Amino acid sequence: MGTQADAARADVVAARAELASELVRTEAAARAAVDIPAKIRREPVKTAGLAAGLAFLVAGGPKRLFRRAKRAVVGPDADRPKSMLPEEVDKELRKLGSDGERVRATLEREFAKYLEEHREEREKRDLGAVAALMLASIVKPITAQAVKRISEQLLNPESTSFRDAVEKVRARREAGKGTAAEPARPPEPKPARGR
């Protein structure tokens, strides 16, 4: 029974040491990833470019460029037409007469005639809208992927800064707690007093 307990205790000690090592590496990776001033000192142009690209993507730059390109190809959007006021609508409907069914039939007939006259314009406009939707569905995933890649590059811990951060974390832990390799021992049980 003693050898099993010793083996279990050794496994626990090894697991603690491995956990301590992983905590040091994780903390160092996090510190190296967010150490922006060190990245700026090492590669100022690359860091500034990554930050500017990320700001462009987050601020909606691709969407604005897409709208400008669409406006250049299709032309500017027309001003919204002034809508008819309710008084004018009532006035026009009264001119058609008092028979509701006849007024309704006239409106339907006129509307169908209008739709038929302007069918080609509508189809051309709809084709442009479909093309714009297809282009937007292609641009959006590309933009999302670009944001992800730029963010990863901006927060990527380089090997030198990562090693420096690991050394700093280990030195701080050793100074504060002694050595990280020594596991804390549980208190020894007190012997029971006899009656």
Side-chain angles (χ1 to χ4, degrees):
M1 185 75 168
T3 58
Q4 289 179 344
D6 290 341
R9 179 172 283 153
D11 288 345
V12 169
V13 168
R16 280 186 187 168
E18 188 176 329
L19 176 64
S21 173
E22 284 302 313
L23 284 175
V24 167
R25 290 179 50 78
T26 302
E27 183 178 345
R31 288 181 183 274
V34 296
D35 191 10
I36 304 297
K39 289 181 182 188
I40 292 172
R41 282 191 300 272
R42 276 192 304 279
E43 298 181 63
V45 176
K46 180 181 176 183
T47 306
L50 287 171
L54 187 61
F56 173 76
L57 292 172
V58 169
K63 186 186 283 186
R64 290 179 184 172
L65 285 178
F66 174 71
R67 276 189 258 154
R68 283 187 184 169
K70 179 184 168 195
R71 200 174 318 131
V73 172
V74 179
D77 293 337
D79 292 336
R80 293 184 184 209
K82 295 180 180 176
S83 62
M84 295 178 68
L85 299 174
E87 295 171 5
E88 292 173 345
V89 172
D90 284 341
K91 182 178 171 183
E92 292 299 319
L93 287 176
R94 279 192 217 118
K95 286 181 184 177
L96 293 175
S98 60
D99 185 11
E101 288 299 316
R102 198 179 98 227
V103 168
R104 182 170 168 242
T106 304
L107 287 173
E108 287 175 351
R109 208 173 31 253
E110 291 294 321
F111 185 64
K113 187 171 116 182
Y114 171 81
L115 287 177
E116 186 59 35
E117 289 173 356
H118 298 288
R119 179 175 49 91
E120 290 180 16
E121 291 175 29
R122 231 181 20 261
E123 287 174 354
K124 286 180 186 176
R125 187 178 59 233
D126 291 345
L127 183 62
V130 168
L133 280 172
M134 286 177 57
L135 188 58
S137 68
I138 293 170
V139 169
K140 189 173 181 179
I142 292 171
T143 303
Q145 187 69 20
V147 167
K148 183 180 175 185
R149 284 185 181 171
I150 288 175
S151 299
E152 286 174 355
Q153 279 189 350
L154 190 61
L155 298 176
N156 183 19
E158 288 107 24
S159 61
T160 56
S161 61
F162 177 70
R163 275 188 256 122
D164 293 344
V166 166
E167 293 303 319
K168 287 178 185 176
V169 170
R170 284 187 178 149
R172 190 186 73 232
R173 286 186 181 233
E174 288 176 6
K177 296 181 182 178
T179 61
E182 286 182 27
R185 291 190 169 246
E188 293 289 327
K190 293 183 181 178
R193 291 187 182 176
R195 290 184 201 187

